[in-house]
Amino acid sequence: MKPTISQLISTGKVLVSDGAWGTFLQAKGLQPGECPELWNIDHSDDVLDIAKNYIAAGADMIETNSFGGNSFKLANYGLQDRAIEINRKAAEISRKAAGQDKYVIGSIGPTGKILMMGDVTEEELYNAFKEQSMALYEGGADALVIETMTDLDEARIAIKAARENTPCEVICTMTFDRTLDGDYRSMMGASPTDMVKTLIDAGANIIGANCSNGIEGMISITNEIRSENKTIPVLIHANAGMPKYQDGETVFPESPEMMAGFVPQLMKAGANVIGGCCGTTPEHIKHIAGIVKKKDLLN
Amino acid sequence: MIKNYKMDQLLEKIAYCIEYGKINNISPYPPDMKGQDGADELTRQALEKGVPASDILTKALVIGMQKIGVKFRENKVFVPQVLMSAKAMNTAMVHLKPFFLSGEVKRKGTIIIGTVAGDLHDIGKNLVSMMIEGSGWEVIDLGVDVKTEKFIESLKQHPGSFLGLSALLTTTMGSMEKTVREIKTQLPETCILIGGAPVNHEFSIKIGADFYSPDPQGAVEFLNKKVA
């Protein structure tokens, strides 16, 4: 049996994760207003091609096309009753691309509901995350990645639902922006420091940050996490900077070379898994993997 | 226990409840105001004591929302605190509704607001709606994934209204551009405000919108200046 991701990290290895799915799907023709996760069912070859591209680029693990696959998000498209089918298929596609050796990490995003406003109850959130986690596991996910979280309570509930209902390792990453004071806070006001204890106590095996405003800020975020906890494995999925809009198209400013240039500092800060978020491509991952693997050989 | 406050103190107290998100007596938030009357009770008391509804709006609700709006812009507070303030403001607003309907209290103007076609995100749009409403404006919220035709229809129904457009996704910035261009063609006098994570000032100029703000308070200040 292959080791878990955190077992592999404990041997001192730095691992490479994948890049963006949303931007890749758009490049393949996904239209605004279309449900990206439904592509698992009716454009499964395109989704498989994305997964294969990231494996070919050198990723040790790939996500699944299920970020908006919880029943609350799917309800926006009237697809809430198909959550199990859609998530299972998402994991099956990534598993097919990953083979048995590479890892499939099932993507779980926020519901878009705000607990403190009484939009939903804790139980409703738990059940939605439970359903999605179980379907991703059944489809073949090795681990689950709860990502782009901004609310500590929602993150905590998602982690519990994933841990209590599947044997998967659970990764949880939150999204932070830089405040005017230069600190990092999520939209709901949580700092990386606030995050560490809550997520670990809820049962997360690996924690970290994703999206935000480019890879450079991720170094400060990783340092902050590490000043709270020296041992918890840390995963960073940075986006390729803040997007710019040019002639009807979205352009991300950070090139593969630029992002890869920050990887040594990110590893030094204590990141154990490095990959991309919005705007990153297989080319970004190839460059990141190049730096990570070179460093591994030196160690 | 209902305490007696002089009018100004009462208005100050209501403004404080709005700023700190104290909804009503039983609300546990904020913890240091537990057991005290909130925006709900104090607004009722003010009306009973004969404080004009327009004073409650302009000297309490608007002030409280302005304070939280500025703190939000300065990153001193985050979304949860603003949401609690908005909840407190809405609770007070319920008591003022009859005065709006009778025409005794006038709003500053009307803004139609919505998230553009293809985009289903509403948290940012809702925050902006609440801040603008709390500044004394009437807000007509068309929701998310709003087609251009629907904005135009609403603008025709409410002539002279401002228009606020939101987009969270980089992919729906194109949709925002189309909406702005179409509306500027059909109803060129419409004043359009835009906002959302990927949007910026440069983009607003490029697509022909009239104003961009990175935070809700900026939109409030722009609107207020327009009718000052």
Side-chain angles (χ1 to χ4, degrees), chain A residues 245-256:
Chain A
Y245 186 77
Q246 281 172 5
D247 308 318
E249 272 188 42
T250 306
V251 184
F252 285 83
E254 295 181 11
S255 68

Side-chain angles (χ1 to χ4, degrees), chain A residues 245-297:
Chain A
Y245 186 77
Q246 281 172 5
D247 308 318
E249 272 188 42
T250 306
V251 184
F252 285 83
E254 295 181 11
S255 68
E257 293 79 7
M258 274 164 76
M259 280 191 81
F262 286 105
V263 166
Q265 280 169 273
L266 201 51
M267 288 163 70
K268 194 161 168 269
N272 309 99
V273 186
I274 301 171
C277 198
C278 309
T280 56
T281 63
E283 202 57 31
H284 286 83
I285 298 308
K286 205 170 146 186
H287 278 75
I288 292 171
I291 303 275
V292 168
K293 304 269 144 100
K294 198 155 68 189
K295 193 97 178 170
D296 248 16
L297 288 177

Side-chain angles (χ1 to χ4, degrees), chain B residues 4 27 34 81 87 99 125 140 147 152 157 195 201:
Chain B
N4 284 315
S27 167
K34 218 174 164 181
Q81 291 84 355
K87 257 193 164 177
F99 301 93
K125 185 251 316 157
I140 298 170
K147 310 272 179 297
I152 290 175
Q157 275 169 19
H201 175 70

